[in-house]
mmCIF file of all heavy atoms in Angstrom:
data_model
loop_
_atom_site.group_PDB
_atom_site.id
_atom_site.type_symbol
_atom_site.label_atom_id
_atom_site.label_comp_id
_atom_site.label_asym_id
_atom_site.label_seq_id
_atom_site.Cartn_x
_atom_site.Cartn_y
_atom_site.Cartn_z
ATOM 1 N N ARG A 1 -11.678 12.362 -4.968
ATOM 2 C CA ARG A 1 -11.448 13.335 -3.920
ATOM 3 C C ARG A 1 -12.694 14.133 -3.580
ATOM 4 O O ARG A 1 -12.863 14.592 -2.485
ATOM 5 C CB ARG A 1 -10.320 14.322 -4.376
ATOM 6 C CG ARG A 1 -9.022 13.559 -4.409
ATOM 7 C CD ARG A 1 -7.809 14.498 -4.659
ATOM 8 N NE ARG A 1 -6.557 13.837 -4.808
ATOM 9 C CZ ARG A 1 -5.946 13.507 -5.940
ATOM 10 N NH1 ARG A 1 -6.480 13.900 -7.110
ATOM 11 N NH2 ARG A 1 -4.823 12.828 -6.005
ATOM 12 N N SER A 2 -13.556 14.301 -4.573
ATOM 13 C CA SER A 2 -14.814 15.011 -4.325
ATOM 14 C C SER A 2 -15.925 14.158 -3.773
ATOM 15 O O SER A 2 -16.810 14.581 -3.123
ATOM 16 C CB SER A 2 -15.254 15.816 -5.527
ATOM 17 O OG SER A 2 -15.575 14.942 -6.613
ATOM 18 N N GLU A 3 -15.796 12.854 -4.082
ATOM 19 C CA GLU A 3 -16.842 11.858 -3.689
ATOM 20 C C GLU A 3 -16.118 10.587 -3.107
ATOM 21 O O GLU A 3 -16.099 9.583 -3.782
ATOM 22 C CB GLU A 3 -17.711 11.496 -4.890
ATOM 23 C CG GLU A 3 -18.477 12.599 -5.485
ATOM 24 C CD GLU A 3 -19.247 12.212 -6.706
ATOM 25 O OE1 GLU A 3 -19.367 10.958 -7.003
ATOM 26 O OE2 GLU A 3 -19.735 13.072 -7.542
ATOM 27 N N PRO A 4 -15.531 10.698 -1.923
ATOM 28 C CA PRO A 4 -14.711 9.670 -1.391
ATOM 29 C C PRO A 4 -15.547 8.355 -1.243
ATOM 30 O O PRO A 4 -16.768 8.436 -0.967
ATOM 31 C CB PRO A 4 -14.220 10.124 -0.071
ATOM 32 C CG PRO A 4 -14.392 11.642 -0.167
ATOM 33 C CD PRO A 4 -15.510 11.901 -1.006
ATOM 34 N N LYS A 5 -14.882 7.227 -1.388
ATOM 35 C CA LYS A 5 -15.546 5.921 -1.212
ATOM 36 C C LYS A 5 -14.816 4.994 -0.253
ATOM 37 O O LYS A 5 -13.649 5.135 0.023
ATOM 38 C CB LYS A 5 -15.533 5.226 -2.642
ATOM 39 C CG LYS A 5 -16.161 5.985 -3.690
ATOM 40 C CD LYS A 5 -17.648 6.184 -3.592
ATOM 41 C CE LYS A 5 -18.326 6.866 -4.735
ATOM 42 N NZ LYS A 5 -19.785 7.041 -4.558
ATOM 43 N N ARG A 6 -15.653 4.045 0.293
ATOM 44 C CA ARG A 6 -15.059 3.017 1.211
ATOM 45 C C ARG A 6 -14.731 1.814 0.392
ATOM 46 O O ARG A 6 -15.540 1.171 -0.222
ATOM 47 C CB ARG A 6 -16.107 2.607 2.222
ATOM 48 C CG ARG A 6 -16.411 3.719 3.287
ATOM 49 C CD ARG A 6 -17.594 3.298 4.122
ATOM 50 N NE ARG A 6 -17.443 1.984 4.760
ATOM 51 C CZ ARG A 6 -16.817 1.726 5.929
ATOM 52 N NH1 ARG A 6 -16.277 2.768 6.538
ATOM 53 N NH2 ARG A 6 -16.658 0.592 6.419
ATOM 54 N N ILE A 7 -13.376 1.444 0.398
ATOM 55 C CA ILE A 7 -12.988 0.304 -0.355
ATOM 56 C C ILE A 7 -12.331 -0.739 0.571
ATOM 57 O O ILE A 7 -11.551 -0.401 1.473
ATOM 58 C CB ILE A 7 -11.930 0.772 -1.436
ATOM 59 C CG1 ILE A 7 -12.581 1.515 -2.499
ATOM 60 C CG2 ILE A 7 -11.184 -0.472 -2.064
ATOM 61 C CD1 ILE A 7 -13.658 0.817 -3.259
ATOM 62 N N VAL A 8 -12.744 -2.000 0.436
ATOM 63 C CA VAL A 8 -12.239 -3.131 1.230
ATOM 64 C C VAL A 8 -11.011 -3.622 0.519
ATOM 65 O O VAL A 8 -10.979 -3.974 -0.655
ATOM 66 C CB VAL A 8 -13.238 -4.228 1.292
ATOM 67 C CG1 VAL A 8 -12.683 -5.319 2.172
ATOM 68 C CG2 VAL A 8 -14.532 -3.703 1.921
ATOM 69 N N PHE A 9 -9.855 -3.653 1.217
ATOM 70 C CA PHE A 9 -8.623 -4.316 0.816
ATOM 71 C C PHE A 9 -8.587 -5.657 1.515
ATOM 72 O O PHE A 9 -8.323 -5.821 2.752
ATOM 73 C CB PHE A 9 -7.434 -3.464 1.200
ATOM 74 C CG PHE A 9 -7.352 -2.143 0.546
ATOM 75 C CD1 PHE A 9 -8.115 -1.058 0.883
ATOM 76 C CD2 PHE A 9 -6.446 -2.016 -0.586
ATOM 77 C CE1 PHE A 9 -8.038 0.162 0.218
ATOM 78 C CE2 PHE A 9 -6.393 -0.794 -1.297
ATOM 79 C CZ PHE A 9 -7.172 0.284 -0.851
ATOM 80 N N ALA A 10 -8.905 -6.730 0.720
ATOM 81 C CA ALA A 10 -9.164 -8.083 1.219
ATOM 82 C C ALA A 10 -7.927 -8.626 1.952
ATOM 83 O O ALA A 10 -8.038 -9.420 2.965
ATOM 84 C CB ALA A 10 -9.673 -9.040 0.181
ATOM 85 N N GLU A 11 -6.752 -8.329 1.469
ATOM 86 C CA GLU A 11 -5.503 -8.899 2.009
ATOM 87 C C GLU A 11 -4.831 -7.894 2.886
ATOM 88 O O GLU A 11 -3.714 -7.443 2.554
ATOM 89 C CB GLU A 11 -4.629 -9.421 0.885
ATOM 90 C CG GLU A 11 -5.261 -10.586 0.162
ATOM 91 C CD GLU A 11 -5.235 -10.415 -1.316
ATOM 92 O OE1 GLU A 11 -5.462 -9.328 -1.843
ATOM 93 O OE2 GLU A 11 -4.950 -11.390 -2.054
ATOM 94 N N GLY A 12 -5.451 -7.451 3.933
ATOM 95 C CA GLY A 12 -5.026 -6.338 4.777
ATOM 96 C C GLY A 12 -3.745 -6.543 5.502
ATOM 97 O O GLY A 12 -3.285 -5.547 6.090
ATOM 98 N N GLU A 13 -3.195 -7.684 5.548
ATOM 99 C CA GLU A 13 -2.009 -7.960 6.236
ATOM 100 C C GLU A 13 -0.756 -7.907 5.341
ATOM 101 O O GLU A 13 0.315 -7.892 5.843
ATOM 102 C CB GLU A 13 -2.079 -9.382 6.960
ATOM 103 C CG GLU A 13 -3.157 -9.463 8.015
ATOM 104 C CD GLU A 13 -3.202 -10.873 8.498
ATOM 105 O OE1 GLU A 13 -2.395 -11.737 8.101
ATOM 106 O OE2 GLU A 13 -4.111 -11.151 9.405
ATOM 107 N N ASP A 14 -0.984 -7.811 4.027
ATOM 108 C CA ASP A 14 0.159 -7.839 3.088
ATOM 109 C C ASP A 14 0.789 -6.425 3.045
ATOM 110 O O ASP A 14 0.040 -5.458 2.911
ATOM 111 C CB ASP A 14 -0.326 -8.222 1.707
ATOM 112 C CG ASP A 14 0.835 -8.305 0.706
ATOM 113 O OD1 ASP A 14 1.409 -9.333 0.663
ATOM 114 O OD2 ASP A 14 1.029 -7.329 -0.049
ATOM 115 N N PRO A 15 2.088 -6.296 3.138
ATOM 116 C CA PRO A 15 2.758 -5.021 3.089
ATOM 117 C C PRO A 15 2.482 -4.118 1.940
ATOM 118 O O PRO A 15 2.276 -2.958 1.993
ATOM 119 C CB PRO A 15 4.196 -5.316 3.196
ATOM 120 C CG PRO A 15 4.320 -6.700 3.901
ATOM 121 C CD PRO A 15 3.099 -7.403 3.423
ATOM 122 N N ALA A 16 2.458 -4.742 0.708
ATOM 123 C CA ALA A 16 2.125 -3.960 -0.511
ATOM 124 C C ALA A 16 0.739 -3.467 -0.436
ATOM 125 O O ALA A 16 0.417 -2.265 -0.886
ATOM 126 C CB ALA A 16 2.336 -4.846 -1.737
ATOM 127 N N VAL A 17 -0.207 -4.199 0.098
ATOM 128 C CA VAL A 17 -1.577 -3.877 0.170
ATOM 129 C C VAL A 17 -1.693 -2.723 1.142
ATOM 130 O O VAL A 17 -2.424 -1.721 0.921
ATOM 131 C CB VAL A 17 -2.499 -4.976 0.603
ATOM 132 C CG1 VAL A 17 -3.912 -4.534 0.908
ATOM 133 C CG2 VAL A 17 -2.520 -6.058 -0.500
ATOM 134 N N ILE A 18 -0.945 -2.775 2.258
ATOM 135 C CA ILE A 18 -1.000 -1.687 3.300
ATOM 136 C C ILE A 18 -0.463 -0.394 2.657
ATOM 137 O O ILE A 18 -1.077 0.697 2.887
ATOM 138 C CB ILE A 18 -0.243 -2.075 4.500
ATOM 139 C CG1 ILE A 18 -0.995 -3.176 5.295
ATOM 140 C CG2 ILE A 18 0.148 -0.911 5.427
ATOM 141 C CD1 ILE A 18 -0.261 -3.758 6.443
ATOM 142 N N ARG A 19 0.575 -0.521 1.890
ATOM 143 C CA ARG A 19 1.100 0.745 1.256
ATOM 144 C C ARG A 19 0.140 1.305 0.318
ATOM 145 O O ARG A 19 -0.046 2.558 0.233
ATOM 146 C CB ARG A 19 2.417 0.435 0.657
ATOM 147 C CG ARG A 19 3.596 0.169 1.597
ATOM 148 C CD ARG A 19 4.974 0.186 0.905
ATOM 149 N NE ARG A 19 5.019 -0.796 -0.170
ATOM 150 C CZ ARG A 19 5.435 -2.053 -0.014
ATOM 151 N NH1 ARG A 19 5.865 -2.474 1.201
ATOM 152 N NH2 ARG A 19 5.529 -2.902 -1.023
ATOM 153 N N ALA A 20 -0.532 0.423 -0.462
ATOM 154 C CA ALA A 20 -1.510 0.930 -1.437
ATOM 155 C C ALA A 20 -2.680 1.581 -0.686
ATOM 156 O O ALA A 20 -3.192 2.616 -1.102
ATOM 157 C CB ALA A 20 -2.024 -0.268 -2.301
ATOM 158 N N ALA A 21 -3.159 0.928 0.436
ATOM 159 C CA ALA A 21 -4.251 1.513 1.174
ATOM 160 C C ALA A 21 -3.857 2.857 1.774
ATOM 161 O O ALA A 21 -4.654 3.790 1.821
ATOM 162 C CB ALA A 21 -4.618 0.535 2.306
ATOM 163 N N ASN A 22 -2.605 2.975 2.172
ATOM 164 C CA ASN A 22 -2.128 4.246 2.706
ATOM 165 C C ASN A 22 -2.070 5.368 1.663
ATOM 166 O O ASN A 22 -2.518 6.458 1.841
ATOM 167 C CB ASN A 22 -0.694 4.097 3.303
ATOM 168 C CG ASN A 22 -0.125 5.398 3.877
ATOM 169 O OD1 ASN A 22 -0.769 5.982 4.738
ATOM 170 N ND2 ASN A 22 0.983 5.810 3.385
ATOM 171 N N SER A 23 -1.741 4.976 0.424
ATOM 172 C CA SER A 23 -1.787 5.953 -0.702
ATOM 173 C C SER A 23 -3.188 6.309 -1.011
ATOM 174 O O SER A 23 -3.501 7.452 -1.360
ATOM 175 C CB SER A 23 -1.090 5.350 -1.954
ATOM 176 O OG SER A 23 0.285 5.145 -1.745
ATOM 177 N N TYR A 24 -4.115 5.328 -0.945
ATOM 178 C CA TYR A 24 -5.556 5.554 -1.190
ATOM 179 C C TYR A 24 -6.043 6.631 -0.235
ATOM 180 O O TYR A 24 -6.728 7.634 -0.556
ATOM 181 C CB TYR A 24 -6.283 4.285 -1.084
ATOM 182 C CG TYR A 24 -7.779 4.368 -1.385
ATOM 183 C CD1 TYR A 24 -8.155 4.161 -2.694
ATOM 184 C CD2 TYR A 24 -8.670 4.576 -0.394
ATOM 185 C CE1 TYR A 24 -9.548 4.297 -3.005
ATOM 186 C CE2 TYR A 24 -10.087 4.674 -0.694
ATOM 187 C CZ TYR A 24 -10.482 4.507 -2.043
ATOM 188 O OH TYR A 24 -11.809 4.631 -2.275
ATOM 189 N N VAL A 25 -5.730 6.422 1.055
ATOM 190 C CA VAL A 25 -6.188 7.385 2.078
ATOM 191 C C VAL A 25 -5.477 8.687 1.950
ATOM 192 O O VAL A 25 -6.087 9.801 2.002
ATOM 193 C CB VAL A 25 -5.952 6.727 3.461
ATOM 194 C CG1 VAL A 25 -6.126 7.828 4.593
ATOM 195 C CG2 VAL A 25 -6.921 5.569 3.695
ATOM 196 N N SER A 26 -4.130 8.654 1.733
ATOM 197 C CA SER A 26 -3.330 9.915 1.730
ATOM 198 C C SER A 26 -3.817 10.834 0.554
ATOM 199 O O SER A 26 -3.696 12.057 0.704
ATOM 200 C CB SER A 26 -1.905 9.593 1.603
ATOM 201 O OG SER A 26 -1.387 8.926 2.726
ATOM 202 N N GLN A 27 -4.240 10.196 -0.588
ATOM 203 C CA GLN A 27 -4.593 11.052 -1.745
ATOM 204 C C GLN A 27 -6.046 11.542 -1.600
ATOM 205 O O GLN A 27 -6.564 12.216 -2.565
ATOM 206 C CB GLN A 27 -4.355 10.190 -3.035
ATOM 207 C CG GLN A 27 -2.979 9.948 -3.306
ATOM 208 C CD GLN A 27 -2.697 9.441 -4.710
ATOM 209 O OE1 GLN A 27 -3.245 9.944 -5.595
ATOM 210 N NE2 GLN A 27 -1.854 8.478 -4.832
ATOM 211 N N GLY A 28 -6.715 11.193 -0.487
ATOM 212 C CA GLY A 28 -8.023 11.683 -0.241
ATOM 213 C C GLY A 28 -9.126 10.990 -1.035
ATOM 214 O O GLY A 28 -10.193 11.556 -1.250
ATOM 215 N N PHE A 29 -8.888 9.653 -1.386
ATOM 216 C CA PHE A 29 -9.850 8.922 -2.164
ATOM 217 C C PHE A 29 -10.989 8.393 -1.266
ATOM 218 O O PHE A 29 -12.029 8.034 -1.811
ATOM 219 C CB PHE A 29 -9.180 7.763 -2.903
ATOM 220 C CG PHE A 29 -8.231 8.175 -3.903
ATOM 221 C CD1 PHE A 29 -7.248 7.306 -4.414
ATOM 222 C CD2 PHE A 29 -8.247 9.452 -4.444
ATOM 223 C CE1 PHE A 29 -6.366 7.725 -5.420
ATOM 224 C CE2 PHE A 29 -7.291 9.839 -5.408
ATOM 225 C CZ PHE A 29 -6.327 8.943 -5.850
ATOM 226 N N GLY A 30 -10.710 8.284 -0.014
ATOM 227 C CA GLY A 30 -11.750 7.717 0.903
ATOM 228 C C GLY A 30 -11.246 6.916 2.077
ATOM 229 O O GLY A 30 -10.083 7.131 2.453
ATOM 230 N N THR A 31 -12.060 5.972 2.536
ATOM 231 C CA THR A 31 -11.675 5.070 3.605
ATOM 232 C C THR A 31 -11.180 3.763 3.156
ATOM 233 O O THR A 31 -11.803 3.128 2.224
ATOM 234 C CB THR A 31 -12.923 4.905 4.557
ATOM 235 O OG1 THR A 31 -13.407 6.228 5.084
ATOM 236 C CG2 THR A 31 -12.574 4.053 5.765
ATOM 237 N N ALA A 32 -10.139 3.265 3.752
ATOM 238 C CA ALA A 32 -9.521 1.917 3.432
ATOM 239 C C ALA A 32 -9.986 0.974 4.525
ATOM 240 O O ALA A 32 -9.611 1.201 5.689
ATOM 241 C CB ALA A 32 -8.075 2.031 3.258
ATOM 242 N N VAL A 33 -10.768 -0.028 4.137
ATOM 243 C CA VAL A 33 -11.140 -1.066 5.092
ATOM 244 C C VAL A 33 -10.179 -2.247 4.920
ATOM 245 O O VAL A 33 -10.267 -2.927 3.882
ATOM 246 C CB VAL A 33 -12.635 -1.500 4.840
ATOM 247 C CG1 VAL A 33 -13.009 -2.586 5.883
ATOM 248 C CG2 VAL A 33 -13.511 -0.212 4.996
ATOM 249 N N LEU A 34 -9.364 -2.612 5.863
ATOM 250 C CA LEU A 34 -8.397 -3.682 5.773
ATOM 251 C C LEU A 34 -8.869 -4.930 6.469
ATOM 252 O O LEU A 34 -9.119 -4.891 7.683
ATOM 253 C CB LEU A 34 -7.135 -3.191 6.392
ATOM 254 C CG LEU A 34 -6.428 -2.009 5.581
ATOM 255 C CD1 LEU A 34 -5.865 -1.002 6.534
ATOM 256 C CD2 LEU A 34 -5.370 -2.566 4.654
#
């Protein structure tokens, strides 16, 4: 949260991955690249 990072989610079309990416962003961890 203090040092956000850009993370690539390789399987960006998968619903579980999208929900995880949303949690990653919502918790302030950084940018989700799908």
Side-chain angles (χ1 to χ4, degrees):
R1 291 188 182 102
S2 63
E3 301 174 10
K5 302 292 184 183
R6 288 171 55 85
I7 292 298
V8 181
F9 292 80
E11 295 131 317
E13 297 175 3
D14 183 86
V17 172
I18 287 173
R19 290 193 299 272
N22 182 54
S23 294
Y24 184 87
V25 168
S26 298
Q27 294 193 44
F29 296 162
T31 300
V33 181
L34 296 137

